Amino acid sequence: MAHLAIEGVSKLFGTSFAVRDFSLEVGDGELVCLLGPSGSGKSTLLRMIGGFERPSGGTIRIDAKDVTTLPPERRPTGMVFQSHALWTHMDVFNNIAFGLKLRRLPKAEIRERVESALALVGLADYSRRMTTQLSGGQQQRVALARSLVLEPKILLLDEPFASLDQHLRERLREEVRDIQQRLGITTLFVTHGQDEALALADRIVVMRDGRTEQIAPPSTIYRQPQTAFVAGFIGSMNFVQGRTRNGVCEHPLFPLAIPIEDGPVTLAARPEALTIRPSDRAEAATVHRIVDFGTHKMVDVDLADGTRLKAMVAPDDRIRAGMRVEPRLASFFVFRDNELAHQSMPAAAKAEIEALQRV
Amino acid sequence: MAHLAIEGVSKLFGTSFAVRDFSLEVGDGELVCLLGPSGSGKSTLLRMIGGFERPSGGTIRIDAKDVTTLPPERRPTGMVFQSHALWTHMDVFNNIAFGLKLRRLPKAEIRERVESALALVGLADYSRRMTTQLSGGQQQRVALARSLVLEPKILLLDEPFASLDQHLRERLREEVRDIQQRLGITTLFVTHGQDEALALADRIVVMRDGRTEQIAPPSTIYRQPQTAFVAGFIGSMNFVQGRTRNGVCEHPLFPLAIPIEDGPVTLAARPEALTIRPSDRAEAATVHRIVDFGTHKMVDVDLADGTRLKAMVAPDDRIRAGMRVEPRLASFFVFRDNELAHQSMPAAAKAEIEALQRV
Amino acid sequence: MTTGRSSMDLRFDWIGLLFACLLTLFIALPLIVVGTWAFTEVWRYPSVIPQQFGLRFWGQTLARGDVWDALFLSLRLTTTVTILSAVICLPAAYAFARMRFPGRNILFLSFLASHAFPKFGLLVAIAGIFLQFGLISTFWGVVLIQLVGTLMLMIWIPVAAFQNVDRRMEEAARDAGATPLRVFWSITLPQAAPTISAALLLTFVGTFYETEGAWLIGAPEIRTMPVLMISFINNQIVVQYGAVLSVMLWVPSFIALMFARRVIGTGAFARGFGA
Amino acid sequence: AAGTIDLYSGSDANIVDLWNNTIRPAFEKAHPGVALKVTDAGDNNGLRAIADRALAALKTKTDPQADLFEVFDPRLPSGGIDAGLWVKFSAENIEAYDHINPLAFDTPYSLPYRGSQVLLAYDTTKLDPKDAPKRWEQLTAWIKANPGQFIYNRPDKGGSGGNFVRRAIHEANGRDPKKFKIDNFTADFATEALTPAWKILNDLEPALYDKGAYTAGNTQSIQLLAQGVVTMVPVWSDQVLQAISQGVLPETTGLVQLTDLALCGGFSGITVFSNGANKDAALKLAAFMLTKEMQEAIITQIGGFPGISWDHISDDLRKKYADVIPSTIPTFPGGDWEKAIADGWYRNVAPGISRT
Amino acid sequence: MSTETAPAVSSRHPSITRGSSIGLLLVALPVFLLAWLIIFPIFSAVVGTIFVRGPDGAKEVSLASYRFFFTDGYSLGNLWLTLWTTAVCGILLLAIGLPIALYLRFSQGRLAAYVQALAIFPMFVPSIILAYALIRTIGPNGTVDLLLNSVGLPKLRTPYLTPWGPVIGLVWDNLPLTVLMLTAGLSSISNSAVEAARDVGARPFRVFISIILPRMGNSLLVTASFAVLGIFSAFTLPYVLGSASPEMMGPFMQRTFADMNDPLDAMTQAVITFAFCLVFGIFYIRSIACNREAQL
Ligand SMILES: Nc1ncnc2c1ncn2[C@@H]1O[C@H](COP(=O)(O)OP(=O)(O)OP(=O)(O)O)[C@@H](O)[C@H]1O
Ligand SMILES: Nc1ncnc2c1ncn2[C@@H]1O[C@H](COP(=O)(O)OP(=O)(O)OP(=O)(O)O)[C@@H](O)[C@H]1O
Ligand SMILES: [Mg+2]
Ligand SMILES: [Mg+2]
């Protein structure tokens, strides 16, 4: 339970910045997800907070105390590594107990705490196993237990669920969320999965090339992406290139009113905001493929100019591959130079969403 | 492009079967996904097809030719390993060119084919990089290119996208699907992700402890799981334990008509088939949490007996945590002893779905 | 220990400096002394530096034809032994690392015997064997005896190296159509290269400085550099001859070392070793 | 190789140079068609290895690639003599056999052709030549009075130390070199004769360098003297002269011989392999070494003394060297004595160390 | 190589036996050389010390030479000194080599390159030269004394001709191998295992004790065994630098063999040395064998 303040932190490797002038405040008990493409500096940032890399510039404060130069063992942080990093010469129990032993807790208490940590991650009977006898998922959970048992003030998770199957992943994701909320641990969570970020995070930080693109709660990120990059990165998004002239988009299929200056624009719309209906128009699009996800179907639509769009339809929709269709945008964003220039939703809806976003 | 026939194949490691009496026919150009929990024998099966393990029993035929005892280099298969297995002492170009060089192709052709393979996986400028300088996702793509460039008759993919971020994963998944269809390569694909299986496969094989649980096209697997295991494994599924007496379920919230013999049953329903509405009944359930996934919201509902159910609602639904609600099942399955005993959907709907399943 | 490169960029590497100083004292001081002796004509207590520097012994040493003959002979011999050793030992090491055959462990471990039994007890018996084959005082006789001495190193270290090569890489290569032999050549060997180079280096140096076998089998026709050195140094009141010879050998060694380090890379120098 | 005598020498560089620069040209001139190859074996261990090899060759009737050792103890390797490894010298196969100094005879399997003596070398800057000990009691008294200033090497690792030990044995046995003969060795006699000597040496030990350290060989002793660590060491005459001339030892090095009974000298004998490919040529070479010409070269070039009696040396040389090389250098028989002394010393003197 | 991973089916497939004959074929040449030139002579040596020629010329079984060795205080003293020297050298080597290896494992840069080069360089110095260099350096009135003297400090007591002389020489000589092997062992410990330990609050020293050391067990053993094999029968350094008595087994054997002209005792000593080396070797064997089983 702590307040974390990162101010203007940079990290140079050789001559290239892995993290550049990064600032973020994380409140008590908040869970922040770091999202970004591979190589965007997420791990590096986490490692600087944990004390494993020294920032080339900037300061990191935990509860107002400057920890920028402290070694890892003197920071109140707990880290779960991308590559579990279990100690293979110890069994599960000792892996988890190691940190407690360092704190010279009485034996009985260590045993008790390790056992409850193991129970927490669903490995109650595994304490005497060697770590090499565990499957990848179990190893990851031991690594999690190892960090949690020390009740760190700040928990740092670097893609903890990367090697798990989807089911386990979803289950653990919820467990971590529950534990985190119960213990009120301030948490930073790196992930590759946007679903994970959307499901878990109080706020999401979208990173790109070591910088932040947007910091906002999940529903804001999803519904009001501030840049084209964020729009494309979180969830599925269709992009259509076009030009505006006199406030109207010149795209043959999407002659929308866009009240901004003339110039090139990128229209963006979620698959669920793209509706299609059969059509015989010359400019009509073609259905390329339909994928059934059970809960919905995803329809790939090829426009005349080759752009491929995705539309989400109900699982009982009768659309078929090869059909000629006309897509329409129910709601959309307009980006120019990566910046949000216009959004189709009325301001009222926006306010409503903000009210909804944390239930 | 080949026809693969696996007949009664088993594999013993020591005294335990990793694969047990497994049979499968894969047609020309078909893409079959192997799904199953960790340790269910998926990799072992793939390795037997590739020639890296020798079956303890059974035969494997490719285009009617028995290949059971052929070494890997003499089989027309190409494998992408779970752990990329790139050759770290070669750069990207040479990794991909290795197989071509073995075939003594002229230099110019090798260059050309490598470059087009690289372009295919989106790494056009990376041919001179050493593999250790690539991120995990890039490595995986190189491994894919390395197999594809040889145009194998049968492509074996062992969780090729495990280390990629969701976007890349989705993109590559589609690309693999496109390439596979264009080249007509018969493909076996192991994955942990059911989404992936649903999105890619012509047919899905669900494995458990080295045996098959069900082999069927994705929508059948999703909508008509033959066992409780498959039902729970593919997609999200709510399970409620109950008993039937006189053809009626005795559960207080779900007094459904189930025309089977009396006895214990497991009711199963997808989140999208679970509807909730506010209620004041004594047995009513409580909303635990709501997660906004953008396209939909997932509501966790706790029943009075502690069972947690998931319901999918529209993103603009106004439900809130803590509310008392009454769940209802729009459609459901009934399992007894892991076997499907009853399905709520009318037979007509079933036929319709089958018609739809491949578009 | 530091946590790696992380703490290197801001703080000065004090530990490194400490090690550098201590090692300079412990390792380099005797070397410097030898180096100084090589250029010394008179150096008597209590003068800190020699009373008289000079190149007299260099002149005398370098002018001797047998020194150069011995040097080139040694290089030829050592290279032959190292290459032969690699040729016969690496496949054997691969077999020990990757194949199952009866008696594998016992055979593998029996190589220990070549280092555990005192040499003098063996050499005479070996000489007896060689006499029958007319190998005494021949180039190939010396090659053979030195080859035997390299077996353990050249098998044990590469075994560890081969075991560390990821099997999937080999499988991927076979999948791409390579025969087992080709896999060994194109994948396994290069993957194990760092450790194998370390083994080669140790073998080369060890063979170069081997004297007992070289003398017993080689005399009088085959006089290697260290055998010559021994006769220069032993019971020789003038230490300068030996000093000159060793300094002469250091220069190429040092270049080789630096070169190897660059080629092989830090740390990789010794990966394996069964450790 | 055929036509080329393979000679091995384990001696120091000055001896090897003598063979290469003086003896070889002379011999090859005297015996056209025979060549000589001198191979430096480094030390005795090197020779020992070749001797073992030759013995093995004898058993298998192969060519040992060795014909002659410049100096070697034919008792090695054990069983060698019985097996007929060495040529037995006699007047029949060596022309001037009867010229050999009778004192020099050890075994008929080695042909003594040169001798040298052991002296005491000291640092004149620390010890005034006129105070230099001339007698054994003076020497021991000086050693005890100047603790840490004297060292001798292990008796089996070099003759300088070995002959110092033998001088102590002489001292303990009435300074009578004649008392010890090659064939009067018995274990009892050895115990009786050697035990008092060990006592003398043990007595000296606390006053030696480092309270009783012994160097590993002749050279190491000279080096300690050169370093100024000790003031006095026993040395071989030829070696110390060479060391001075090469600047290893300073000009200020003084040499002294005991006058009551000199430190023992030693003769070095050629051995010839009976199975060498060039046995006959090797015997010619051995005989050649006893010629006046070669014997005189030994005196003039290496400061050694001849293997033949001084009577057979030309008069002017004899006169010239009369002072430098007393003709009465005592010797000590080898054979079993050698082993008894070495082993006895290791067991009785060396471990008596109580250094802290 | 699929075939080797399938023990369960090994009896059923003919190619397995083919595989094993290929394996035997590959190791044949070195094994043959070993058997011919090492194992066979060792056997005859051992046999020669047990079946001795009696006084009547007939061969008989006799352990007299062994009995002599183990009842002779002098021989035992030499053995004891050898064990002592070996133990001290082994400990010193690990104590010096381990920090260096740790440093090399966790850092890079010019200084590390320099340290590595220095640590490896003794490999290129033959022991005889080293022996002379050490006499000149740490011997009486050697360089160390010169330097101390020139700054007006008293001389140090020199280890030359004491048991510490060989210890210093042998440590110097064996340092490269030790450092190389330990670095190799350390490279199997991942950075993240170390970082994880620091994360839960372990200080560097504790990380070393609890995380690094347990994982190093094998390589420490291996390194120690290798060093011990080298040190146990070392000759040159103990001979030139060491005290006259007791002496290490190396010079003792040589002296018995060459100077005492007693091949039977010398061989006995060699066999005993061999036996002691084998004991150390067995540690190596065991750890290697465990490793190998784990990997196959
Ligand atoms: N130790 C290092 N030395 C040099 N460059 C590094 C180092 N660590 C990271 N980098 C570089 O810094 C950048 C950011 O790396 P980082 O590991 O933080 O990315 P990431 O966002 O965690 O990626 P991924 O999602 O693939 O884990 C990358 O370009 C990487 O190559
Ligand atoms: N070489 C082997 N020796 C012994 N057992 C093995 C070996 N390879 C696999 N197994 C066992 O066979 C079973 C099936 O393993 P396999 O790797 O095929 O599973 P998988 O379905 O691919 O799992 P995952 O999803 O975790 O990759 C497991 O119980 C595993 O422990
Ligand atoms: Mg990362
Ligand atoms: Mg698998």
Side-chain angles (χ1 to χ4, degrees), chain C residues 1-180:
Chain C
M1 151 200 19
T2 70
T3 26
R5 42 175 109 89
S6 46
S7 44
M8 300 280 294
D9 41 18
L10 290 183
R11 265 183 304 173
F12 185 70
D13 185 7
W14 286 111
I15 301 172
L17 191 69
L18 185 73
F19 274 122
C21 293
L22 287 180
L23 278 181
T24 306
L25 259 183
F26 182 64
I27 301 284
L29 193 61
L31 295 178
I32 293 168
V33 171
V34 177
T36 315
W37 268 103
F39 297 95
T40 294
E41 287 183 7
V42 179
W43 186 6
R44 276 193 284 274
Y45 187 81
S47 169
V48 178
I49 54 162
Q51 280 96 339
Q52 192 184 337
F53 283 104
L55 294 174
R56 194 177 85 199
F57 293 96
W58 281 90
Q60 286 179 10
T61 310
L62 297 186
R64 297 182 60 141
D66 54 353
V67 169
W68 295 104
D69 290 347
L71 180 62
F72 290 119
L73 175 73
S74 268
L75 288 177
R76 213 150 43 86
L77 197 69
T78 311
T79 313
T80 314
V81 170
T82 309
I83 290 173
L84 270 184
S85 177
V87 167
I88 70 164
C89 290
L90 291 183
Y94 183 79
F96 280 124
R98 282 289 154 88
M99 296 183 182
R100 274 176 185 278
F101 46 87
R104 192 189 55 167
N105 279 347
I106 271 292
L107 290 180
F108 177 71
L109 299 172
S110 63
F111 284 90
L112 180 76
S114 66
H115 270 217
F117 200 86
K119 247 187 161 176
F120 80 97
L122 296 176
L123 285 174
V124 176
I126 297 177
I129 297 172
F130 277 24
L131 276 165
Q132 294 171 332
F133 290 86
L135 287 168
I136 290 294
S137 193
T138 62
F139 182 78
W140 293 105
V142 178
V143 166
L144 199 55
I145 184 100
Q146 297 197 324
L147 186 60
V148 171
T150 64
L151 289 180
M152 174 165 145
L153 209 66
M154 265 312 244
I155 286 185
W156 282 22
I157 297 176
V159 161
F162 287 138
Q163 279 176 341
N164 285 341
V165 174
D166 186 355
R167 238 167 232 259
R168 311 282 143 149
M169 288 193 196
E170 296 176 336
E171 290 179 345
R174 295 202 59 186
D175 198 47
T179 57

Side-chain angles (χ1 to χ4, degrees), chain A residues 13 18 37-45 53 82 159 192, chain B residues 135, chain C residues 5:
Chain A
F13 282 120
S38 185
S40 56
K42 308 180 294 292
S43 298
T44 308
L45 182 65
E53 304 277 359
Q82 207 162 357
E159 300 190 39
H192 267 147
Chain B
S135 78
Chain C
R5 42 175 109 89

Side-chain angles (χ1 to χ4, degrees), chain B residues 181-223:
Chain B
Q181 286 186 335
R182 205 163 59 236
L183 305 179
I185 309 177
T186 309
T187 303
L188 259 86
F189 193 110
V190 169
T191 177
H192 266 146
Q194 315 125 36
D195 282 0
E196 214 147 270
L198 292 170
L200 274 175
D202 292 320
R203 279 190 298 156
I204 290 177
V205 177
V206 181
M207 293 184 70
R208 182 193 193 183
D209 295 340
R211 303 169 193 262
T212 41
E213 285 271 321
Q214 185 168 5
I215 306 183
S219 57
T220 312
I221 291 269
Y222 193 83
R223 299 213 174 76

